[in-house]
Amino acid sequence: MSSHDATLEFDYETPSRAELVATSVAREIGEIDDERSRTILERDGSCVRIDIDAEDVVALRAALNTWFSLVDVAERAADAGEAVLTAQ
């Protein structure tokens, strides 16, 4: 498909945190993909890997921005949930 690709790797302190983030953002696989870009998400232990394959650099940049934002939101939500549980 492409001539442009990128791999994002996010390492977490625990496999459960990686699973939480991966599960949260995995729902977007297929929803965000279009004719210009495709994404594969994998988790191996404490590492979440996102492979992006795009037709052009503009589509790659858009996909990168989207996936960085999605992972950031998932991480912040996990932190907020952890803070609530710790405070109890």
Side-chain angles (χ1 to χ4, degrees), residues 4-16:
H4 303 282
D5 59 69
T7 299
L8 309 176
E9 287 189 357
F10 301 92
D11 292 313
Y12 296 95
E13 291 181 16
T14 64
S16 61

Side-chain angles (χ1 to χ4, degrees), residues 14-80:
T14 64
S16 61
R17 176 56 69 99
E19 181 179 11
L20 180 62
V21 171
T23 300
S24 296
V25 299
R27 300 167 192 260
E28 302 301 328
I29 298 287
E31 296 296 319
I32 295 172
D33 292 347
D34 59 18
E35 67 278 352
R36 293 174 56 207
S37 68
R38 298 280 178 268
T39 304
I40 298 170
L41 183 140
E42 298 174 329
R43 183 183 68 85
D44 183 16
S46 296
C47 181
V48 175
R49 178 182 167 131
I50 300 172
D51 293 309
I52 302 167
D53 189 30
E55 274 189 20
D56 55 73
V57 72
V58 174
L60 180 61
R61 180 191 50 78
L64 285 167
N65 288 339
T66 298
W67 288 104
F68 276 125
S69 294
L70 289 170
V71 169
D72 180 56
V73 169
E75 289 173 346
R76 286 188 286 135
D79 288 343

